């Protein structure tokens, strides 16, 4: 049986994403204005615009849209691909409730996005160590501890429905 869980973004993630894209659009317009006034060369402007727009567009392709739980494992679906974690590789799934996992006090972002479309990338936390994150809501986070590899953090819209599905059908 295949079950799909939405990865809705929290209000703070929506605000950070909106502000980020407003700044990107404003930067492009300012750059076009500076080129029109003759302050910047057109080639330099294209290079700067590429440095601004490429990460912005790529972040759109890697944010998680939904989590797929089926008979084979748990998958994180993005626009670019599905990251599949087979049940044979899952040691346990733990819900993170005690404190926000992505607070600046407890977690360091090593590489990735710390709020634009979610918390996506590699992070390091004192209690967990290094982990891969596909979380869009910092309050509904699950950690998937794998037998081989680093843990993976995900978030789903309805956390009370996700964990019982895993506990019933996912473990051997």
């Amino acid at each position: 049986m295949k079950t799909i869980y939405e990865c809705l973004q929290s209000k703070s993630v929506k605000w950070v994403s909106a502000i980020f894209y407003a700044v990107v659009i404003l930067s492009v317009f300012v750059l076009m204005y500076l080129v029109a006034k003759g302050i910047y060369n057109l080639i330099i402007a294209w290079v700067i615009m590429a440095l601004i727009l490429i990460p912005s567009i790529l972040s759109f392709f890697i944010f998680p849209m939904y989590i797929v739980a089926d008979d084979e494992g748990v998958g994180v679906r993005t626009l670019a691909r599905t990251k599949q974690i087979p049940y044979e590789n899952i040691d346990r799934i733990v819900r993170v409730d005690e404190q926000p996992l992505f607070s600046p006090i407890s977690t360091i972002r090593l590489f990735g996005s710390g709020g634009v479309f979610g918390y996506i990338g590699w992070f390091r936390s004192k209690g967990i160590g290094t982990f891969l994150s596909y979380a869009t809501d910092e309050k509904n986070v699950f950690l998937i501890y794998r037998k081989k590899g680093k843990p993976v953090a995900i978030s789903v819209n309805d956390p009370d429905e996700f964990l019982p599905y895993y506990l019933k059908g996912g473990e051997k």
Side-chain angles (χ1 to χ4, degrees):
M1 186 171 121
K2 184 178 192 177
T3 307
I4 296 174
Y5 301 96
E6 287 186 89
C7 296
L8 298 180
Q9 298 171 349
S10 66
K11 285 184 180 183
S12 63
V13 167
K14 286 180 183 178
W15 274 104
V16 168
S17 301
I19 291 169
F20 174 77
Y21 277 101
V23 168
V24 166
I25 291 169
L26 182 66
S27 300
V28 168
F29 282 124
V30 167
L31 194 57
M32 290 185 333
Y33 173 77
L34 294 175
V35 168
K37 288 293 185 181
I39 297 172
Y40 275 131
N41 184 339
L42 188 59
I43 295 172
I44 294 172
W46 276 108
V47 170
I48 293 172
M49 202 173 310
L51 291 173
I52 292 171
L53 291 177
I54 289 173
S56 305
I57 293 168
L58 288 177
S59 67
F60 182 73
F61 283 101
I62 62 169
F63 85 94
M65 298 183 306
Y66 52 86
I67 305 296
V68 179
D70 57 17
D71 296 335
E72 298 171 11
V74 177
V76 180
R77 180 70 185 137
T78 67
L79 281 176
R81 69 182 188 127
T82 300
K83 167 84 171 158
Q84 187 73 18
I85 305 168
Y87 285 126
E88 298 86 40
N89 194 19
I90 296 177
D91 185 33
R92 66 188 189 280
I93 296 179
V94 178
R95 186 169 180 184
V96 180
D97 281 334
E98 58 274 358
Q99 66 173 346
L101 182 61
F102 299 102
S103 72
I105 297 169
S106 64
T107 304
I108 298 170
R109 180 181 58 221
L110 301 175
F111 180 78
S113 169
V116 178
F117 289 124
Y119 301 92
I120 304 157
W122 289 97
F123 292 81
R124 181 158 184 80
S125 178
K126 195 178 277 185
I128 301 164
T130 304
F131 63 95
L132 178 61
S133 176
Y134 288 101
T136 57
D137 184 356
E138 61 274 2
K139 294 181 183 137
N140 296 324
V141 178
F142 288 94
L143 273 170
I144 301 174
Y145 287 95
R146 300 186 286 180
K147 293 176 184 172
K148 296 179 185 172
K150 304 283 185 192
V152 177
I154 61 170
S155 63
V156 294
N157 188 33
D158 192 2
D160 294 329
E161 188 179 312
F162 174 73
L163 196 57
Y165 176 87
Y166 167 73
L167 292 175
K168 277 192 263 178
E171 287 190 319
K172 301 184 238 176

